[in-house]
Every structure is written in structure tokens, then in C-alpha cells.
Amino acid sequence: GQNIDQPTEMTATEGAIVQINCTYQTSGFNGLFWYQQHAGEAPTFLSYNVLDGLEEKGRFSSFLSRSKGYSYLLLKELQMKDSASYLCALNTGGFKTIFGAGTRLFVKA
Amino acid sequence: GAGVSQSPSNKVTEKGKDVELRCDPISGHTALYWYRQSLGQGLEFLIYFQGNSAPDKSGLPSDRFSAERTGGSVSTLTIQRTQQEDSAVYLCASSTSRGMNTEAFFGQGTRLTVV
């Protein structure tokens, strides 16, 4: 089976940096996704990590350590529009994707 | 179409009635997923179709839930004898099986309310 843990909520200030952590246990692992979901909308893809290390994409970066079962999403220069839920998801093999409960991020002025 | 299409967008049904939710995936995508999301919660995996392989039904919460995918394209999720706890947003997603970056593209979901 799989288990994915993320903080339920986080609050950060506009212009700041925030790190959202995700720890997981799984018997099969192909890679780890991060998705963003604004309230009332469908999730949208942010990143996909297969190998250990940091992947940078504009203001967003994602880190993976397979040996530690750990990932984080780093958001820089926070904007109000970044207020959303951030979902960590595992590609468990056979292209099946399992999602965590998500972290609700509130960005305040 | 250009994206994943789901219908209806909203459905209100009486307890005990059957409902059918439809998903039209992105053309050429062989993988199709159904998820359920209750208010303020994460995505709960329901069922996964990959090409012509037998579907992974391990997430279906009870035998009242079933899904099929005809011709490797359109999928229908059926909930029989609906209960109030079935009220949620049902999301469908599709992805290509080619390559390692199997990003899933989501539809806008069907909001089901059982009264």
C-alpha cells in the first residue's frame, strides 16, 4: 500500500518563500508529482520528479529524496494567486497515481 | 476535444437512485482515472483504466460503484442506490502511457449531491 503525509495548512506572506513537505511510504515508486488546485477547480500539474535532487521551474522548485521517502515543493516570491491546495502524488508503477490529502496554502498581504 | 470533458457538471439526485457520470478523455490518452474529492479533502482514488488491461478497481468504496470504459475512450462511472455520503466532486483524469512524465490532465469534475 501507500501512505502520503503533508501538513494540512500553511500560511505565508506575499513576497516570501514557503516550503511544503511531503513524506511517503510505498511499495512501488516511479516518480512523485506536485499538483496545484485552486478552490472549486481541477488540479493542474506543477512538477514531476523521478531522480533525487532539485528541479527548478520559474518560481516553483521541487525536491526529491527517494532513499528518505521525502519531497518538498518550494514557492518563491509568493503572490496572492498562489493561495491554493498543493497535492503531493505518487506514481506507483503501471502509471497509477495516488494523491495525498493536500496542503492548503494561504498567502496574506 | 482539447481537454478532458465530464458531464454533467452538476447532479442532484434523491437517495436510493442510480446515477451515471461520464468522462471523455483527451484523444490518444490510454490511461484514465476516476477520483472522488469531498469538500476540503484530498483526492481519493477510485479506479484506473490502462489500455486494454483489466482495470484497477481497488479504490471503489463499495459494490454500488462500478465503471466501464468503452472502446478505450469514453468512461462511465455508475453509482447505484446512492447514499448521502456519496456526495462529492467526481474527477476524471487521463494521461498518456508514453514516457516517464505521465502527467494527468483533469476534467472539471461532476459535483454530485445526494438529497
Side-chain angles (χ1 to χ4, degrees), chain B:
Chain B
V4 178
S5 177
Q6 291 188 246
S7 61
S9 55
N10 280 284
K11 176 72 176 178
V12 179
T13 190
E14 291 182 353
K15 178 181 173 181
K17 295 286 179 69
D18 298 351
V19 296
E20 282 190 356
L21 312 180
R22 178 189 167 102
C23 173
D24 201 340
I26 293 173
S27 178
H29 280 192
T30 58
L32 186 147
Y33 311 81
W34 282 98
Y35 292 90
R36 177 169 70 174
Q37 188 172 35
S38 300
L39 187 63
Q41 303 298 311
L43 275 68
E44 175 188 4
F45 168 77
L46 296 178
I47 188 168
Y48 161 66
F49 296 89
Q50 174 58 50
N52 295 321
S53 302
D56 181 339
K57 305 179 181 180
S58 59
L60 295 178
S62 77
D63 59 8
R64 295 187 295 105
F65 288 71
S66 63
E68 61 180 25
R69 188 178 184 192
T70 54
S73 181
V74 172
S75 177
T76 302
L77 177 68
T78 301
I79 309 173
Q80 296 178 308
R81 305 182 302 282
T82 51
Q83 304 294 313
Q84 288 186 329
E85 61 262 28
D86 300 334
S87 296
V89 175
Y90 289 81
L91 289 163
C92 175
S94 71
S95 68
T96 175
S97 64
R98 293 186 295 276
M100 288 298 295
N101 183 357
T102 53
E103 171 189 353
F105 294 84
F106 283 84
Q108 290 300 306
T110 294
R111 182 175 299 278
L112 175 66
T113 305
V114 182
V115 298

Side-chain angles (χ1 to χ4, degrees), chain A residues 13-98:
Chain A
T13 304
E14 192 175 19
I17 298 173
V18 70
Q19 177 174 313
I20 302 174
N21 295 325
C22 171
T23 58
Y24 63 88
Q25 298 86 39
T26 180
S27 55
F29 182 88
N30 275 1
L32 187 144
F33 292 96
W34 284 95
Y35 280 80
Q36 179 190 59
Q37 186 178 27
H38 285 99
E41 298 184 11
T44 55
F45 172 84
L46 290 177
S47 65
Y48 182 59
N49 292 65
V50 176
L51 302 176
D52 286 359
L54 187 67
E55 299 269 349
E56 298 186 71
K57 190 184 296 184
R59 294 190 298 114
F60 292 8
S61 302
S62 57
F63 172 84
L64 175 66
S65 169
R66 295 179 65 146
S67 61
K68 295 181 179 178
Y70 169 67
S71 174
Y72 67 74
L73 180 69
L74 193 71
L75 291 74
K76 303 176 185 176
E77 302 168 15
L78 278 174
Q79 302 175 10
M80 299 299 287
K81 67 178 182 179
D82 297 330
S83 294
S85 287
Y86 291 87
L87 306 172
C88 174
L90 300 179
N91 181 338
T92 62
F95 307 101
K96 176 178 172 180
T97 303
I98 302 295

